[in-house]
Amino acid sequence: MRVHIATDHAGLELSDHLVKHLSAKGYDMVNHGPGSYDPEDDYPAFCINAAKAVIADQRNGIDALGIVLGGSGNGEQIAANKVEGIRAALAWNLDTAKLARQHNNANVVAVGGRQHSVEEAAEIIEAFLAEPFSEAERHERRIGKIATYETTGEVID
């Protein structure tokens, strides 16, 4: 699986750890930045570029997911969710990570680097990456309604 990762300065240490750790586990890691610590950096471009790469890979039949990191993960999740087709979920424990995949077929996980130890964050992210979408009809229907609104502006009851 290819995994696109992006962060801001607050998640840089976690990002560096994850690139090494997940590469060692066989994931094809693609780092969208930043390349160095800058306390004044702006995360939106990094996260949007990672999200765009996830969608491009998925549309080309490549098994791909994404990770966006920050201090809380909130802004990074918001940025990633601006990309059409992205369903970025903020995960703060194993259950939220797994449910994001099972019920929402989330394709990007957001985690707050200042909210967890490196080990705990890695465990949450690994759970997200390993969990399959349930493909339950009710979840597919709900995701379809979100996608319809995203592409057409139509709200379906």
Side-chain angles (χ1 to χ4, degrees):
M1 176 187 292
R2 184 173 295 158
V3 178
H4 297 274
I5 190 168
T7 189
D8 72 351
H9 60 278
L12 189 59
E13 180 182 332
L14 175 58
S15 179
D16 290 344
H17 170 79
L18 289 169
V19 168
K20 292 174 190 156
H21 177 73
L22 294 173
S23 291
K25 290 190 169 281
Y27 291 98
D28 176 15
M29 299 299 295
V30 181
N31 192 343
H32 293 269
S36 62
Y37 181 81
D38 176 0
E40 296 296 317
D41 67 7
D42 293 326
Y43 60 83
F46 304 130
C47 296
I48 290 168
N49 286 332
K52 286 173 59 176
V54 168
I55 285 298
D57 277 352
Q58 289 180 340
R59 289 181 177 157
N60 286 314
I62 298 168
D63 187 19
L65 293 172
I67 302 166
V68 293
L69 307 166
S72 69
N74 283 308
E76 295 75 19
Q77 175 200 27
I78 292 167
N81 274 320
K82 297 302 178 186
V83 175
E84 184 179 321
I86 288 296
R87 290 174 306 282
L90 180 65
W92 60 90
N93 61 28
L94 293 175
D95 287 339
T96 57
K98 291 176 183 178
L99 288 170
R101 292 285 301 136
Q102 289 173 7
H103 292 191
N104 307 110
N105 200 14
N107 47 13
V108 172
V109 64
V111 174
R114 292 181 176 159
Q115 311 305 310
H116 309 280
S117 69
V118 170
E119 295 77 19
E120 182 182 35
E123 186 178 15
I124 291 167
I125 290 164
E126 286 183 63
F128 175 87
L129 296 174
E131 193 68 33
F133 175 49
S134 72
E135 298 186 30
E137 187 279 329
R138 72 181 194 274
H139 299 310
E140 288 184 350
R141 182 182 67 243
R142 293 166 185 161
I143 292 166
K145 289 180 177 187
I146 294 167
T148 296
Y149 176 76
E150 182 178 50
T151 58
T152 69
E154 179 185 1
V155 177
I156 299 174
D157 292 334

